[in-house]
Amino acid sequence: MKIRTVFLPALCFLILLFVVESCGTNTEKTASDTAAADSMQSASIPHTVMSALKAKFPGAVIQKWTQENEDGMIFYDIEFMQNARKLEADIMDNGMLHNWEKTIDVKELPAVVTMAVQKEYPKSTLKESMVVTAVKDGDDVLEGYEIVLVTADM
């Protein structure tokens, strides 16, 4: 059994396949309770990043975050809960929101997305799905869907 993450871009629905594993330089922090999360947020994540997160997602409670360096740019990949829903956001160290993801029920995926996955991975089971939203010039734009699925070992 393999767990795979599939990203389906909104416009062309091409399947890009990623085996679930981390790559690059990451600094990971987790929070086991709200008090630890609040302390960790104020002590470790830059104020500009926290301000951007709280402005876009009021009441966000951070579950885990990583600091990543991509092409010389520093991003904070933040996983959090808001109103009992799991979300993720990539925020640059200057406070600019790059993109964000929201967990959705697999049943909420557009039919064309579900059919594309079933065609490419006919014996797979969809485990988790997220809608990916890019932020371009301050506007939210649908970027695609990230899907975690379980496939049989080959």
Side-chain angles (χ1 to χ4, degrees), residues 1-2 4 30 34 41 43-45 49 60 64-66 74 77 84 88 97 99 102 104 119 128 131 140 145 151:
M1 175 175 73
K2 290 184 180 177
R4 301 178 184 266
T30 60
T34 305
Q41 290 172 19
S44 305
I45 299 175
V49 174
K64 180 171 93 170
W65 64 274
T66 58
I74 296 174
D77 182 3
E88 297 180 24
L97 187 62
N99 68 14
K102 175 177 69 172
I104 60 171
K119 182 178 179 183
E128 180 181 332
V131 61
D140 290 344
Y145 299 90
T151 60

Side-chain angles (χ1 to χ4, degrees), residues 46-96:
H47 178 72
T48 53
V49 174
M50 284 303 301
S51 294
L53 179 70
K54 295 295 184 177
K56 180 72 176 177
F57 305 101
V61 176
I62 295 175
Q63 303 296 307
K64 180 171 93 170
W65 64 274
T66 58
Q67 178 184 337
E68 301 176 358
N69 188 338
E70 295 178 22
D71 299 323
M73 299 174 66
I74 296 174
F75 286 87
Y76 288 82
D77 182 3
I78 304 171
E79 296 179 21
F80 59 97
M81 299 293 291
Q82 181 191 41
N83 300 326
R85 187 180 288 250
K86 179 182 169 190
L87 292 101
E88 297 180 24
D90 290 334
I91 304 173
M92 290 183 253
D93 63 345
N94 65 2
M96 216 170 143

Side-chain angles (χ1 to χ4, degrees), residues 84-154:
R85 187 180 288 250
K86 179 182 169 190
L87 292 101
E88 297 180 24
D90 290 334
I91 304 173
M92 290 183 253
D93 63 345
N94 65 2
M96 216 170 143
L97 187 62
H98 178 67
N99 68 14
W100 57 278
E101 303 170 12
K102 175 177 69 172
T103 301
I104 60 171
D105 191 284
V106 172
K107 295 173 188 170
E108 295 177 58
L109 287 167
V112 67
V113 172
T114 304
M115 290 186 314
V117 172
Q118 288 173 348
K119 182 178 179 183
E120 187 70 23
Y121 303 98
K123 296 180 182 179
S124 66
T125 303
L126 277 67
K127 184 177 176 180
E128 180 181 332
S129 58
M130 297 184 95
V131 61
V132 181
T133 304
V135 179
K136 304 208 185 270
D137 298 322
D139 294 327
D140 290 344
V141 178
L142 176 64
E143 188 172 32
Y145 299 90
E146 184 177 298
I147 300 166
V148 177
L149 51 95
V150 178
T151 60
D153 284 326
M154 297 289 179

Side-chain angles (χ1 to χ4, degrees), residues 29-42:
K29 307 290 180 191
T30 60
S32 60
D33 60 37
T34 305
D38 289 343
S39 173
M40 179 182 63
Q41 290 172 19
S42 61

